[in-house]
Amino acid sequence: MGKERRRHTRVDFLTHIVLKSKGSEIAAQGSSRDLSCKGIFINTREKLAENDGVEVKIILSGGGQNIELFMDAFVARVEAHGLGLEFTRMDLDTYTYLKNIVMYNKDEDI
């Protein structure tokens, strides 16, 4: 087995995501595999090219009010069933929300 090179904890997280690329909106909703503070994998049939820049909106629902997180990213990986995005810019509040999501959803098996 190869050594795991990832440095950021990843969690499964179901949420609604909207991507905007080159003036067009692509709505992608589904389980977001490998959410971390550095990136996200979105299960979607939409196809973008590797290295395409995108604006990402993650909509967190629950508690009676939606919270929207905004960040910039690029397409790091394209697969038949989705896109791997790497975040390139976000504000401090967004980073704090992502960090808390990852912390509260990580698997505690040791």
Side-chain angles (χ1 to χ4, degrees), residues 3-70:
K3 184 178 179 182
E4 177 64 54
R5 299 181 319 183
R6 295 177 178 170
R7 296 182 192 153
H8 300 276
T9 301
R10 286 157 169 71
V11 297
D12 289 334
F13 192 72
L14 181 64
T15 191
H16 182 79
I17 298 170
V18 177
L19 302 179
K20 187 183 272 188
S21 173
K22 298 177 185 171
S24 63
E25 283 196 12
I26 303 162
Q29 182 175 1
S31 76
S32 305
R33 191 178 81 211
D34 292 344
L35 173 66
S36 77
C37 291
K38 186 66 177 161
I40 190 169
F41 186 89
I42 302 169
N43 292 320
T44 180
R45 293 180 188 199
E46 299 293 338
K47 296 299 176 212
L48 296 172
E50 281 190 21
N51 297 314
D52 275 358
V54 294
E55 295 174 10
V56 181
K57 177 170 64 172
I58 298 176
I59 302 168
L60 305 174
S61 59
Q65 183 177 0
N66 286 347
I67 297 171
E68 296 180 344
L69 306 179
F70 298 91

